[in-house]
């Protein structure tokens, strides 16, 4: 075993999209930077989440849309080509190889050390490499942790015997299970139920709550429920699992009401937990396994001297790749400014604070129908104590919806802060609405006055005309 010592301005632990962006921004500020990764560069998003899941879902959504278009329905009436879909998924996941990511890291002059990095004290990181060597790193200015999250598994008796799917297995599986049980009712659960039902599984969803997508507007979950049931998914609400067992290759599921279910595979989509168990947090006074609480510049608030940063899902602010990359761009710029003795712009919407994390987080759920949202829900707005006007409109009444497909079903909701006369939340549910979310994000993040938004004329006939209809409804 060999041991080496190196010193950098910035050390980044975790080379998913978030860590890569932190490292690139720090390097752009003129700081020597190293990134440490124990798996594949590109992380969860590239190989086990965003890219493979959307590759599985794209053919499903495209076929559903095509079936609504006169002249196309018969042409797409047959089943999906499973082999082609899985091959496309593999390609979009770069066949679980990260050479392209390594080339990109080289192009921005960031060093890479493969291995498991652990803090050993303030600004100190030890990396155990796959060869058994130890590389000891010292940071002059900052250490940033971007290790993300993993599946949070519930304490169900028998769980360790069934080899359950998590989001990783659900996005990378090489064959279609005949029967798939999905435990959960959130985004991973509904997207994977959508994909695998369309690919040929008989999917049963076991949902503890009384509806799907509980963190979004209720109508979104209701429309997704209708879509899944029409596709053949068996959805059972207010249902919990009390024990599991695998016998003869089958998963035997016992339910709280005494019922039983048999499946070939079971996906547990029951939440996420931070990957902080084995980071050496105890050496700097933090608790392993905890989320890392940060301020709006991504400094971890419980660590003195301001050298320790946590960026992306691990800080529990907004668990989405695009938001983590936004945080990374800010964190990298903050680290660079502080290291170079430059002023930090800490004003609301300033260059060095992540204001959008609190007020303008966009999200798309790639189901049939799609759901897209940004900002507050009506429930959150009510809890915040703001004076809010809720404006609803039936998306099926927009001319672009008639062009999109027959029997279009959808709904839109806009929330207006009546004191400031600005939009603070928007939710769309319906086919094709994912492409509407950025216009809503601009309205919310830009705090565009309603009177000015009235002059943003949508093209006819598009789904974007929903903005005009919402504003007309608001004006009465």
């Amino acid at each position: 075993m060999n041991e080496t010592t190196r010193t950098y301005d910035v050390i980044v632990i975790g080379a998913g999209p978030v860590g890569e962006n932190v490292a690139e921004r720090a390097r752009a500020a003129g700081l020597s930077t190293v990134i440490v990764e124990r798996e594949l560069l590109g992380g969860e998003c590239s190989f086990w989440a965003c890219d493979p899941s959307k590759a599985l879902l794209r053919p499903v959504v495209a076929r559903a849309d095509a079936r609504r278009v006169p002249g196309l329905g018969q042409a797409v009436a047959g089943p999906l080509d499973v082999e082609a879909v899985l091959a496309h998924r593999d390609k979009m996941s770069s066949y679980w190889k990260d050479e392209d990511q390594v080339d990109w890291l080289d192009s921005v002059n960031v060093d890479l050390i493969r291995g498991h990095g652990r803090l050993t004290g303030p600004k100190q990181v030890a990396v155990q490499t796959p060869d058994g060597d130890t590389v000891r790193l010292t940071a002059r200015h900052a250490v940033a942790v971007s290790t993300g999250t993993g599946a949070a598994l519930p304490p169900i008796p028998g769980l360790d015997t069934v080899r359950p799917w998590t989001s990783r297995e659900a996005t990378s599986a090489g064959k279609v299970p005949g029967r798939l049980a999905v435990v959960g009712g959130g985004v991973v659960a509904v997207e994977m139920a959508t994909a695998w039902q369309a690919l040929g599984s008989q999917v049963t969803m076991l949902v503890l709550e009384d509806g799907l997508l509980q963190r979004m507007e209720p109508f979104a979950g209701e429309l997704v429920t209708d879509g899944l049931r029409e596709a053949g998914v068996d959805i059972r609400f207010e249902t919990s699992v009390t024990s599991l067992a695998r016998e003869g290759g089958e998963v035997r599921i016992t339910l709280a009401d005494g019922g039983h279910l048999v499946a070939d595979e079971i996906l547990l989509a029951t939440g996420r937990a931070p990957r902080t168990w084995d980071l050496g947090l105890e050496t700097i006074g933090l608790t392993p396994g905890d989320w890392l609480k940060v301020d709006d510049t991504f400094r971890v608030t419980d660590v003195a001297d301001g050298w320790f940063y946590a960026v992306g899902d691990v800080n529990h602010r907004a668990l989405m790749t695009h938001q983590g990359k936004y945080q990374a761009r800010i964190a990298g710029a903050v680290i660079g400014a502080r290291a170079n003795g430059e002023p930090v712009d800490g004003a609301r919407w300033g260059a060095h604070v992540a204001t959008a994390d609190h007020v303008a987080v966009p999200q798309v759920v790639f189901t049939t129908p799609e759901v897209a949202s940004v900002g507050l829900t009506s429930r959150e707005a009510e809890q915040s104590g703001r004076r809010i006007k809720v404006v609803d409109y039936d998306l099926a009444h927009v001319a672009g919806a008639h062009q999109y497909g027959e029997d279009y079903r959808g709904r839109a909701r806009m929330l207006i802060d009546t004191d400031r006369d600005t939009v603070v939340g928007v939710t769309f549910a319906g086919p094709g609405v994912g492409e509407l979310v950025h216009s809503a994000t601009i309205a919310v993040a830009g705090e565009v006055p309603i009177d000015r938004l009235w002059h943003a004329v949508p093209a006819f006939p598009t789904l974007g005309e929903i903005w005009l209809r919402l504003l007309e409804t608001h004006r009465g």
Side-chain angles (χ1 to χ4, degrees):
M1 292 179 62
N2 297 313
E3 185 170 306
T4 60
T5 300
R6 305 181 195 174
T7 299
Y8 290 88
D9 292 325
V10 180
I11 301 168
V12 180
I13 304 176
V18 177
E20 289 175 330
N21 274 266
V22 173
E24 189 274 334
R25 287 292 83 202
R27 189 68 189 89
L31 305 179
S32 62
T33 305
V34 64
I35 196 165
V36 179
E37 176 55 54
R38 64 186 180 89
E39 291 188 295
L40 295 173
L41 272 71
E44 205 77 13
C45 178
S46 297
F47 300 106
W48 301 286
C50 315
D51 286 337
S53 67
K54 276 54 190 180
L56 290 173
L57 287 159
R58 178 58 189 153
V60 179
V61 173
R63 181 180 66 168
D65 287 347
R67 282 176 169 174
R68 297 187 182 91
V69 179
L72 275 179
Q74 188 61 37
V76 294
L80 292 171
D81 183 336
V82 173
E83 184 176 342
V85 172
L86 295 182
H88 172 62
R89 184 271 317 273
D90 294 351
K91 179 180 179 181
M92 293 303 294
S93 302
S94 301
Y95 306 101
W96 290 275
K97 297 179 181 179
D98 64 1
E99 287 89 345
D100 288 346
Q101 304 275 1
V102 173
D103 290 343
W104 175 83
L105 210 60
D106 288 341
S107 74
V108 296
N109 297 312
V110 172
D111 287 353
L112 166 66
I113 300 176
R114 292 189 183 271
H116 181 61
R118 297 184 79 256
L119 292 153
T120 56
K123 298 184 183 180
Q124 304 293 318
V125 175
V127 184
Q128 298 297 317
T129 72
D131 296 330
D133 297 333
T134 299
V135 181
R136 297 194 178 277
L137 302 173
T138 299
R140 296 186 185 93
H141 297 290
V143 175
V145 169
S146 301
T147 48
T149 61
L153 301 181
I156 302 173
L159 178 64
D160 57 343
T161 70
V162 300
R163 303 182 302 281
W165 279 11
T166 67
S167 55
R168 283 198 169 196
E169 290 76 20
T171 55
S172 62
K175 64 179 183 179
V176 180
R179 299 159 297 178
L180 174 64
V182 177
V183 181
V187 175
V188 172
V190 297
E191 288 191 345
M192 290 298 93
T194 298
W196 289 106
Q197 179 73 28
L199 289 169
S201 289
Q202 175 52 59
V203 176
T204 301
M205 296 187 70
L206 307 174
V207 185
L208 183 62
E209 297 84 6
D210 60 0
L212 301 178
L213 301 175
Q214 291 280 286
R215 295 184 179 180
M216 307 185 87
E217 296 285 7
F219 67 80
E222 292 164 5
L223 284 167
V224 171
T225 298
D226 291 344
L228 285 167
R229 282 179 167 160
E230 288 170 9
V233 177
D234 178 6
I235 306 176
R236 306 183 190 184
F237 291 121
E238 298 180 301
T239 300
S240 61
V241 177
T242 56
S243 67
L244 297 168
R246 189 177 283 274
E247 299 176 8
E250 296 180 330
V251 180
R252 299 191 176 275
I253 306 164
T254 302
L255 306 177
D257 63 3
H260 294 83
L261 181 69
V262 177
D264 298 294
E265 301 291 350
I266 183 169
L267 164 61
L268 298 179
T270 50
R272 308 293 293 178
R275 288 200 178 104
T276 60
W277 282 107
D278 194 18
L279 276 179
L281 293 183
E282 67 280 3
T283 68
I284 58 170
L286 300 179
T287 303
D290 279 0
W291 300 98
L292 297 175
K293 184 180 178 181
V294 297
D295 63 19
D296 278 350
T297 69
F298 302 103
R299 275 178 164 170
V300 176
T301 55
D302 292 332
V303 174
D305 301 327
W307 59 272
F308 191 46
Y309 292 76
V311 192
D313 287 5
V314 75
N315 63 37
H316 207 219
R317 287 167 64 106
L319 277 65
M320 283 163 277
T321 295
H322 49 268
Q323 209 68 20
K325 291 166 71 174
Y326 160 75
Q327 294 177 7
R329 294 190 292 272
I330 289 173
V334 167
I335 292 168
R338 287 174 172 150
N340 293 321
E342 300 167 357
V344 171
D345 180 3
R348 189 171 187 268
W349 298 113
H352 298 129
V353 296
T355 307
D357 278 356
H358 305 297
V359 299
V361 176
Q363 181 175 15
V364 179
V365 185
F366 294 86
T367 44
T368 53
E370 291 179 342
V371 179
S373 68
V374 64
L376 300 176
T377 64
S378 50
R379 180 175 60 249
E380 290 168 341
E382 180 181 354
Q383 292 171 346
S384 74
R386 305 181 193 209
R387 294 201 303 165
I388 297 293
K389 180 178 180 180
V390 178
V391 183
D392 287 332
Y393 198 83
D394 188 338
L395 260 165
H397 294 163
V398 174
H402 296 292
Q403 296 286 355
Y404 200 93
E406 295 180 323
D407 300 319
Y408 189 102
R409 283 177 289 169
R411 187 171 170 186
R413 172 168 289 178
M414 177 173 67
L415 306 180
I416 299 173
D417 184 325
T418 57
D419 291 324
R420 304 185 65 215
D421 205 33
T422 58
V423 179
V424 294
V426 183
T427 298
F428 304 112
V433 299
E435 297 304 326
L436 294 175
V437 75
H438 194 57
S439 60
T441 303
I442 291 170
V444 175
E447 299 177 336
V448 182
I450 292 295
D451 286 347
R452 177 59 63 85
L453 202 56
W454 179 254
H455 294 281
V457 181
F460 179 88
T462 65
L463 287 175
E465 199 177 14
I466 184 60
W467 283 105
L468 175 59
R469 301 306 171 214
L470 287 167
L471 291 168
E472 286 178 334
T473 302
H474 166 57
R475 288 190 166 196

